Amino acid sequence: MDWLGASEFSGGRITGPLLSIFQSGPVLFFLALVMTFFYRKIGAVLGLVAALLCFPLYFYFTVPGLFRSVFRGQWSVPLQAYFVWDVWTMAGILTLGIAAIICIRCLYPLRGKTISAKNA
């Protein structure tokens, strides 16, 4: 996302904070990866927070009309479309969704019977 940081996107009232929280997401994903080896649930929480921090920027690129209706103000670029279909943005949303589901699944213990040494 370096190409966004060098533009006026980073200085906007709405887009600046979106970019800032998005940039903290990969750092938290890395910390989640490291923490997963030592403390699985802490790693899952960090991964879930990282996914939630990255979602708003992807939604801004996918549904810019919704952001403009929720966050009123003066926008420097006129609205081209309410919904924008971009394969890479959709792939990012899908990837973040899968990561969030995996993290949520790691937070809950498995239900049902467990196999122990006595039963095997």
Side-chain angles (χ1 to χ4, degrees), residues 58 61-62 83-95:
Y58 281 109
F61 284 132
T62 305
F83 181 80
V84 177
W85 180 264
D86 181 42
V87 175
W88 290 109
T89 306
M90 294 298 170
I93 290 173
L94 180 66
T95 305

Side-chain angles (χ1 to χ4, degrees), residues 94-110:
L94 180 66
T95 305
L96 288 174
I98 291 170
I101 289 170
I102 291 171
C103 290
I104 290 171
R105 184 74 180 127
C106 288
L107 289 174
Y108 293 108
L110 293 175

Side-chain angles (χ1 to χ4, degrees), residues 1 4 9 18-19 22 53-61:
M1 287 296 170
L4 283 177
F9 190 87
L18 278 179
L19 187 62
F22 180 82
L53 288 176
C54 291
F55 267 124
L57 187 67
Y58 281 109
F59 286 138
Y60 173 78
F61 284 132

